[in-house]
Amino acid sequence: MNDPKIPVIAIDGTTASGKGTIAYKLAQYFGFNYLNSGALYRLVAYEAFTQGVSLEDKEGLISIAQNIKPTFHGREVIINGVDVWPIIGTQTYGNPASIVSRIPEVRYALEVVQHGMAKEPGLVAEGRDMCNTVFKDAQVKMYFDADPKVRAERRFKDEQELQSGKTLEQILEEVISRDERDKNKPVGRLYPAEDALIVDSTDKNREEFLQMCIDWCKEKG
Ligand code: DC
């Protein structure tokens, strides 16, 4: 359980639905702390690669999750004094993170880290199970989605910058398979909370989208 006195804005959504950008902007707007919970699953995958632990080695992955101690500064994810977000934030770690996230014991271990982030003056937390599991008592809840083709195009732009050589079709396939996995895992599956503001960001421009979310937060207190 997290401290009920700390205000929490919880945001869930599919990959590339805009939750990262909006959550960070909301955190800046309200002066709250920011939690990118996907970064934790990415970190476990990263540590597994670094330590030579296979993604099939359940016990090894659980042990990594139980011992991980990152520090967050804005969008930076610091481990052993180094910001690893430029590495783990890439598409390369998206699928491994999704695989790791299916293990319930990994989720329970990371929940402890996530609750620890709910500190004064408040928290904006984004991911897949913020509203229904980790911060189910959050005062404000939101759920974002967008057409898979539009989300694949957003990812494609990032990949072009990274010169990964992936085609739009390959990325669309990855987006669809990640949605499938995220919505069908045994614990912490992605689905809209009953009391969430639901936004389809397909045709929204960023300013309009952000303003809508700010208004929703204010309406909820
Ligand atoms: O948001 P992201 O793309 O960085 O997340 C990477 C993966 O981590 C995502 O495909 C599923 C998993 N994840 C999760 O299971 N629960 C969360 N709260 C956040 C991410």
Side-chain angles (χ1 to χ4, degrees):
M1 265 290 281
N2 57 295
D3 184 343
K5 292 191 293 296
I6 307 289
V8 175
I9 298 170
I11 305 177
D12 289 323
T14 51
T15 185
S17 58
K19 60 187 163 39
T21 311
I22 295 289
Y24 188 59
K25 285 200 183 290
L26 284 176
Q28 286 179 311
Y29 183 88
F30 291 108
F32 282 6
N33 300 299
Y34 166 65
L35 168 65
N36 167 2
S37 62
L40 293 170
Y41 296 94
R42 287 168 181 269
L43 258 186
V44 173
Y46 169 78
E47 284 292 332
F49 286 140
T50 315
Q51 297 175 25
V53 171
S54 152
L55 293 184
E56 317 259 293
D57 178 358
K58 198 175 147 198
E59 294 311 319
L61 295 172
I62 295 169
S63 162
I64 290 174
Q66 285 170 340
N67 291 296
I68 219 147
K69 288 190 178 57
T71 323
F72 292 88
H73 281 297
R75 302 199 94 158
E76 294 181 355
V77 182
I78 297 162
I79 201 104
N80 302 325
V82 179
D83 174 22
V84 292
W85 181 246
I87 303 168
I88 64 166
T90 60
Q91 191 67 4
T92 312
Y93 283 93
N95 270 318
S98 176
I99 294 167
V100 159
S101 78
R102 290 186 60 85
I103 305 169
E105 292 86 348
V106 165
R107 304 196 71 83
Y108 304 145
L110 296 183
E111 208 169 297
V112 178
V113 180
Q114 294 172 75
H115 286 162
M117 292 285 296
K119 292 192 199 118
E120 294 285 0
L123 177 71
V124 181
E126 54 109 339
R128 303 295 191 292
D129 62 341
M130 300 296 94
C131 299
N132 291 313
T133 308
V134 181
F135 296 110
K136 54 179 183 290
D137 299 321
Q139 293 82 343
V140 184
K141 296 182 181 179
M142 299 183 223
Y143 181 89
F144 303 159
D145 200 358
D147 184 321
K149 287 200 191 102
V150 171
R151 291 188 284 123
E153 276 159 19
R154 291 175 187 162
R155 280 274 179 266
F156 185 54
K157 280 192 197 139
D158 300 340
E159 296 284 331
Q160 277 177 319
E161 277 168 30
L162 294 169
Q163 301 182 322
S164 72
K166 281 189 188 163
T167 64
L168 183 56
E169 288 66 35
Q170 281 173 320
I171 295 175
L172 178 60
E173 266 172 39
E174 282 179 9
V175 162
I176 293 171
S177 69
R178 191 118 81 90
D179 283 358
E180 267 304 297
R181 212 181 293 127
D182 290 348
K183 289 178 183 175
N184 293 300
K185 42 180 182 283
V187 177
R189 73 186 170 88
L190 172 67
Y191 66 101
E194 258 175 32
D195 45 351
L197 169 76
I198 298 179
V199 185
D200 181 332
S201 70
T202 307
D203 301 315
K204 295 244 170 327
N205 74 47
R206 236 170 233 178
E207 288 68 37
E208 176 192 13
F209 188 5
L210 177 63
Q211 193 53 52
M212 198 176 180
C213 298
I214 292 174
D215 293 346
W216 175 250
C217 293
K218 288 185 175 165
E219 192 184 316
K220 289 280 157 185

